[in-house]
Amino acid sequence: MNSGASTAVVKREQRGDILLVSIDNPPVNALGVAVRSGLLAAIEAADADPAVAAVVLVGAGRAFIGGADIREFGKPPMAPALPDVCNRIEACGKPVVAAIHGPALGGGLEVALAAHYRLALPAARMGLPEVQLGLLPGAGGTQRTPRLIGAQAALDLMLSGRHVDAAEALALGLVDRVGDGDPVEQGLAYARELVAAGAPVRLTRDAAALADREAQGAAIEAARLDTAKKSRGLFSPAKIVDAVQGALDLPFAEGLALERKLFLECLDSPQRAGLVHAFFAEREAAKSPETQSSRPRAIDSVGVVGGGTMGAGIAVAVLDAGLPVTMIERDEASLARGRANVEKVYAGLVAKQRMTADAKDAVMARWHGSTSYDALAEVDLVIEAVFEDMDVKKAVFAELDRVCKPGAVLATNTSYLDIDELAAAISRPQDVIGLHFFSPANIMKLLEIVVPAKVAPDVVATAFELAKKLRKTPVRAGVCDGFIGNRILAVYRQAADYMMEDGASPYQIDKAVRGFGYPIGPYQMSDLAGGDIGWATRKRRAATRDPRARYVQIADRLCERGWFGQKTGRGYYLYPDGARAGTPDPEVEAIVAAERERAGIAPRSFTDEEIMRRYMAAMVNEGANVVHQKIALRPLDVDVTFVHGYGFPRYRGGPMKYADMVGLPKILADIRAFAQEDPLFWKPSPLLVELVERGADFASLNKIG
Ligand code: 3H9
């Protein structure tokens, strides 16, 4: 007997006395309006049909349900709302079983929590990741989860957004049992068992994990304090704690109403807009014309030339992906250092008990070293990470050209140099590409894939495939001095230096930048990276610098004294006795004052807001130039670069998204006002001017969401 109509995205099938309801909305079964309506109709039908004794919910494809449809956020709401659907599932008079075989995230887990019984299969991944989108679980999750598993465990899930597997979910009490095999068969078997046993509907809202009010209240208080310390400017974490407090203090229906109110506040926040932008931008940046048109070459082994900080970090990233690595160094002593640099990372994990000694040995067994390039004859891809000098790199590439098999991908990790020139120096420019990792290379997520003119499209596709294997966030960049990130960085760092010379202290600038949401400011960053690196770049560029351009010499004065930052114990800050957090240095302030005097500048004061306006205007303007010149494919590529490689606060979406939210006319007006002082530096980008004239924004060039 058929108990009602299937829809395209929610299919119903009568199996004996069980109604099987499959959600089939690829790619992740998100809960768009059609799925919500389909679910609601299925439950109504089940209730009305005497032939149905129980309901099983399953997801088609790889996911159970990936959550609310993120694309609907910020658009006019469409009924039925997900909280109502969840309440209706819970109110079903017949037992509802959720059979979870893949991701059950956010609203997806909330649907499962509204069901009466839950079964997880080994590939199930459950979580409430709404916090990562600037939200809170808004379909009963903040009320049902703590009732089911207690406030502490519920808050941990909601505040971290982490996913738990089937075994952990069972231990937490999030699911009732763990099965193995086909989700439909497993779900049906569970439902039949419940029907046979005359099991009642069991409402999560009646679960009793909050019964010990005092202990639960203490857990909420602890989470509140911890959140205040850790959530650095984020809006939704404190709201999550408030909602869980409501679960403890209020009857269920009132708790739900509170959750709804708090959810809508989060939904309306600019942080939600920024975080959702970041979510889609990351996924979009991982696609390029070449990944659409070409198949990647096979990568089963990797060579790394150079065992310094960068080379070793890259080797670790590759080893972590399960691939073998062959490292090349110029002599045995350097090779031993390279190996030690790699081993140090794993030894650290063993010391912290995050890895066993055996696992470390197994990883290191995939590391091979040689002082001869001939050892690279069979590898599929080589990443060069030697000293940043064109002649040195050309010598390496000549060797790679000599020894590597035909079709091997030859990558350089240069951060500035002209890869077209490097490629032209060998016989196979079609195989040469830039893979710009960020330090520490095994930790930082960003990978700039730098595409020179002559590279073959399948080499570009291979680089994106490698990024996926290494769990990096790739961004496609064109060749220019500094590619996307370092090119833009150079410009806004200059804006910061101008403000410093004009009267803002480096400490105030760092404070203002942190206040905006960065973890550290630009001068702290310079101290961390080592001032000598920027110094070398400035010297390299000195010959080509426009003689009319303003040049601030403060950094040079520090470098001349050997004050390169943390590694030398002082830079812009003092680091007494190897301290990692710096303290302001009156001698630096004196140097800054002397430089202002030398340049004939009467210092003026800046508010933090003025600092950020200039800092961001410089960043956005150069970002627009980078898009205009097609160094970045779209504004979103600039956003992803800055969020993942430069500490830009993710909740602001990225510099270009930020500019859209502020309004491009306002940014352009700022640039034109600053140009009154220095027209050479503050030249409005043609793209920015054009967009303002057309009344358009950067988002119009992204085509996402
Ligand atoms: C929520 O639920 C709020 C509720 O509490 C309250 C509501 C009232 N919606 O990541 P992938 C797309 S908030 C729309 O590459 P994977 C994604 O853009 C939501 N689209 O695959 C991509 O599209 P494209 C809470 C979505 O296998 C494609 O699916 N849920 C959604 O590596 C494949 O994605 C989350 O935050 C969505 N919810 O990973 C979960 N999810 O092919 C977010 C994905 O055009 N999602 N897409 O580029 C994920 O974590 C991962 O996508 C998942 C699959 C683990 C599911």
Side-chain angles (χ1 to χ4, degrees):
M1 185 204 282
N2 193 341
S3 61
S6 290
T7 67
V9 290
V10 178
K11 303 205 163 66
R12 294 184 227 163
E13 222 181 304
Q14 187 79 24
R15 297 282 190 97
D17 58 357
I18 315 288
L19 182 68
L20 178 66
V21 178
S22 333
I23 297 116
D24 187 5
N25 184 27
V28 300
N29 299 333
L31 293 156
V33 63
V35 173
R36 298 197 301 273
S37 312
L39 273 175
L40 195 62
I43 296 295
E44 301 277 356
D47 256 342
D49 187 345
V52 173
V55 180
V56 172
L57 302 179
V58 289
R62 288 197 303 119
F64 174 68
I65 299 174
D69 187 341
I70 301 173
R71 286 173 207 275
E72 286 183 1
F73 295 147
K75 301 192 177 136
M78 279 172 289
L82 190 59
D84 298 336
V85 175
C86 288
N87 288 340
R88 185 63 190 88
I89 292 171
E90 198 176 47
C92 182
K94 300 166 184 176
V96 180
V97 173
I100 305 167
H101 73 294
L105 300 173
L109 184 57
E110 291 174 298
V111 166
L113 292 174
H116 306 128
Y117 297 91
R118 283 161 293 281
L119 161 78
L121 291 144
R125 291 289 175 275
M126 285 147 280
L128 294 166
E130 285 88 345
V131 68
Q132 287 159 2
L133 300 171
L135 292 168
L136 51 82
T142 66
Q143 306 301 301
R144 290 193 178 94
T145 320
R147 282 175 164 82
L148 191 62
I149 64 172
Q152 189 179 357
L155 281 163
D156 166 48
L157 288 185
M158 290 186 244
L159 292 169
S160 70
R162 74 187 179 93
H163 302 176
V164 298
D165 62 14
E168 188 178 354
L170 184 67
L172 286 172
L174 207 53
V175 299
D176 301 291
R177 63 164 70 175
V178 173
D180 203 354
D182 178 59
V184 170
E185 293 314 321
Q186 291 284 314
L188 289 173
Y190 190 13
R192 280 188 210 111
E193 202 182 303
L194 291 166
V195 171
V201 295
R202 193 190 52 173
L203 311 191
T204 306
R205 67 173 71 189
D206 297 334
L210 292 177
D212 180 351
R213 292 185 47 80
E214 204 175 315
Q216 298 298 320
I220 297 171
E221 216 32 55
R224 191 184 299 283
L225 289 176
D226 198 49
T227 301
K229 253 189 281 160
K230 283 196 198 141
S231 61
R232 246 195 0 232
L234 280 176
F235 181 73
S236 82
K239 306 283 168 194
I240 289 173
V241 180
D242 289 346
V244 174
Q245 184 77 52
L248 184 67
D249 295 343
L250 302 171
F252 186 74
E254 285 175 38
L256 276 187
L258 174 68
E259 176 192 85
R260 186 74 190 154
K261 172 178 160 288
L262 297 170
F263 178 80
L264 292 176
E265 282 174 23
C266 293
L267 194 64
D268 281 345
S269 74
Q271 293 195 356
R272 191 275 304 158
L275 287 164
V276 167
H277 172 78
F279 177 88
F280 286 119
E282 281 154 21
R283 282 162 178 78
E284 210 52 35
K287 300 167 192 160
S288 78
E290 295 87 355
T291 59
Q292 314 290 320
S293 71
S294 305
R295 290 173 62 82
R297 297 181 187 175
I299 300 294
D300 296 313
S301 57
V302 173
V304 174
V305 184
T309 309
M310 224 42 219
I314 293 169
V316 170
V318 175
L319 289 169
D320 284 347
L323 293 167
V325 169
T326 303
M327 180 180 277
I328 304 295
E329 261 293 1
R330 56 176 172 260
D331 52 45
E332 289 298 340
S334 310
L335 189 60
R337 265 198 304 277
R339 185 189 156 99
N341 285 340
V342 171
E343 201 160 9
K344 200 166 60 193
V345 174
Y346 294 111
L349 293 178
V350 173
K352 283 188 211 139
Q353 298 187 330
R354 284 172 45 202
M355 187 179 213
T356 65
D358 285 352
K360 168 180 171 258
D361 292 347
V363 172
M364 287 308 293
R366 281 188 274 114
W367 182 94
H368 310 279
S370 178
T371 55
S372 163
Y373 281 91
D374 294 329
L376 298 179
E378 290 308 317
V379 300
D380 297 318
L381 176 143
V382 184
I383 305 168
E384 160 284 306
V386 301
F387 186 64
E388 190 77 345
D389 176 277
M390 184 56 95
D391 291 335
V392 175
K393 297 211 188 254
K394 276 186 181 165
V396 170
F397 269 72
E399 287 296 300
L400 298 180
D401 200 9
R402 180 178 67 78
V403 302
C404 288
K405 66 182 181 187
V409 173
L410 309 180
T412 170
N413 176 52
T414 181
S415 27
Y416 288 98
L417 299 177
D418 182 347
I419 305 180
D420 284 319
E421 183 183 335
L422 196 56
I426 66 167
S427 71
R428 34 174 135 173
Q430 74 279 5
D431 296 330
V432 176
I433 193 158
L435 289 177
H436 181 210
F437 289 80
F438 289 71
S439 189
N442 55 315
I443 307 251
M444 293 292 283
K445 284 279 165 234
L446 181 64
L447 180 64
E448 270 183 306
I449 294 177
V450 191
V451 178
K454 296 216 170 113
V455 70
D458 66 341
V459 168
V460 182
T462 308
F464 276 91
E465 186 63 23
L466 179 77
K468 200 189 278 175
K469 281 194 179 164
L470 303 191
R471 295 163 156 245
K472 299 286 179 205
T473 304
V475 172
R476 186 189 190 282
V479 175
C480 70
D481 196 341
F483 317 132
I484 298 177
N486 282 345
R487 170 168 161 178
I488 298 173
L489 166 73
V491 175
Y492 66 80
R493 269 303 313 266
Q494 226 172 326
D497 283 353
Y498 293 164
M499 289 189 275
M500 175 163 64
E501 199 175 56
D502 285 340
S505 86
Y507 313 120
Q508 188 199 354
I509 294 171
D510 279 348
K511 178 168 83 57
V513 170
R514 285 195 307 271
F516 183 81
Y518 276 87
I520 58 176
Y523 297 104
Q524 290 172 292
M525 188 63 217
S526 163
D527 276 4
L528 190 67
D532 47 334
I533 297 174
W535 198 24
T537 310
R538 292 194 296 280
K539 286 181 192 162
R540 178 165 58 79
R541 286 181 175 156
T544 52
R545 197 164 36 234
D546 185 336
R548 296 165 306 160
R550 180 176 174 189
Y551 181 74
V552 176
Q553 299 180 26
I554 296 166
D556 296 344
R557 294 295 92 78
L558 303 193
C559 289
E560 286 153 12
R561 289 167 168 79
W563 299 354
F564 295 147
Q566 285 196 19
K567 63 184 171 192
T568 57
R570 70 194 297 179
Y572 287 96
Y573 294 79
L574 286 167
Y575 303 88
D577 307 321
R580 289 179 68 188
T583 45
D585 183 351
E587 283 188 57
V588 167
E589 288 180 306
I591 291 168
V592 172
E595 281 299 306
R596 286 176 187 146
E597 210 170 305
R598 188 194 52 73
I601 291 167
R604 63 191 161 103
S605 65
F606 289 82
T607 63
D608 288 1
E609 198 230 325
E610 281 166 339
I611 289 173
M612 285 323 295
R613 272 171 86 159
R614 284 174 189 254
Y615 200 73
M616 288 311 304
M619 195 182 303
V620 169
N621 199 46
E622 192 62 7
N625 283 331
V626 157
V627 175
H628 187 59
Q629 293 166 15
K630 302 198 165 35
I631 299 299
L633 286 178
R634 302 144 298 200
L636 68 85
D637 296 280
V638 176
D639 287 337
V640 175
T641 301
F642 278 85
V643 167
H644 288 281
Y646 295 82
F648 191 92
R650 187 181 162 84
Y651 65 76
R652 294 188 188 272
M656 314 311 267
K657 174 70 180 174
Y658 169 80
D660 275 354
M661 295 209 273
V662 169
L664 300 191
K666 192 156 181 262
I667 305 262
L668 181 59
D670 274 353
I671 292 170
R672 286 187 168 139
F674 304 150
Q676 307 277 321
E677 299 159 17
D678 185 349
L680 196 62
F681 180 73
W682 293 104
K683 272 201 278 269
S685 165
L687 177 63
L688 184 59
V689 173
E690 183 212 309
L691 288 172
V692 170
E693 279 169 3
R694 285 201 285 123
D697 57 9
F698 288 125
S700 65
L701 307 175
N702 283 332
K703 301 187 192 79
I704 51 164

